[in-house]
Amino acid sequence: MAHDQDFYALLELDTLALTNLHRSEKIKQWVEEKTCYLIECNKIISAYGVLNYSFFEFGYIPMLMVRENFRHKHHGISLITYFQEICATPKLFTSTNQSNIPMQQLLIKAGFNNSGYIENLDEDDPELIFIYQKC
């Protein structure tokens, strides 16, 4: 679980937060709401993710970010697996842009299935919705 003292390290990890005030405010909100989880490796936050229940009251992962030099080292799949284990609903949703092939591959590897898409959020880059259903 991320704590207040982790806030600036999370900002530094997130590729958008230092230049996007809205993202930094969201990170602060997620930490305060206790929905932000992190992985620490050698006293460095290597990844963070958010699990909440804002998607039609089902589990939802609105954010998953892995520090660049920790990518492809199982930090993303570790967070997703943890979210699958602790999710309080039988369905867990997340989404990613159609252009984000690495995230799509990670979700498929984690047992998620495509559940549709939303157009017009980002210009010419539909948002793909994924679902994981507990057995």
Side-chain angles (χ1 to χ4, degrees):
M1 179 81 57
H3 300 285
D4 291 340
Q5 65 267 22
D6 300 315
F7 176 68
Y8 290 106
L10 291 168
L11 287 182
E12 188 265 326
L13 177 156
D14 192 299
T15 56
L16 260 176
L18 293 176
T19 58
N20 184 312
L21 180 61
H22 179 5
R23 175 69 69 86
S24 61
E25 289 172 349
K26 288 302 291 181
I27 292 171
K28 183 176 170 91
Q29 177 185 345
W30 292 326
V31 170
E32 289 172 351
E33 292 173 347
K34 304 212 180 304
T35 59
C36 184
Y37 299 81
L38 54 85
I39 293 178
E40 192 173 87
C41 186
N42 298 323
K43 299 185 180 185
I44 297 171
I45 298 174
S46 61
Y48 83 95
V50 176
L51 172 65
N52 62 35
Y53 297 90
S54 63
F55 192 76
F56 299 96
E57 299 182 9
F58 287 108
Y60 180 61
I61 303 170
M63 176 58 61
L64 183 77
M65 178 74 65
V66 179
R67 185 181 297 274
E68 263 189 75
N69 57 326
F70 285 92
R71 292 181 184 165
H72 309 290
K73 296 183 180 178
H74 308 291
H75 294 260
I77 195 87
S78 294
L79 273 173
I80 290 172
T81 300
Y82 181 67
F83 291 156
Q84 289 169 326
E85 291 171 3
I86 68 168
C87 183
T89 62
K91 296 178 184 178
L92 175 59
F93 289 89
T94 192
S95 67
T96 190
N97 288 95
Q98 185 174 39
S99 63
N100 191 345
I101 303 300
M103 183 61 172
Q104 292 173 49
Q105 292 171 336
L106 179 64
L107 293 170
I108 291 166
K109 183 178 178 180
F112 280 76
N113 293 303
N114 197 317
S115 186
Y117 65 95
I118 301 170
E119 293 191 50
N120 303 310
L121 292 175
D122 293 323
E123 192 170 324
D124 298 322
D125 197 4
E127 191 76 11
L128 306 180
I129 309 299
F130 287 84
I131 182 173
Y132 173 82
Q133 297 191 67
K134 294 182 178 187
C135 296

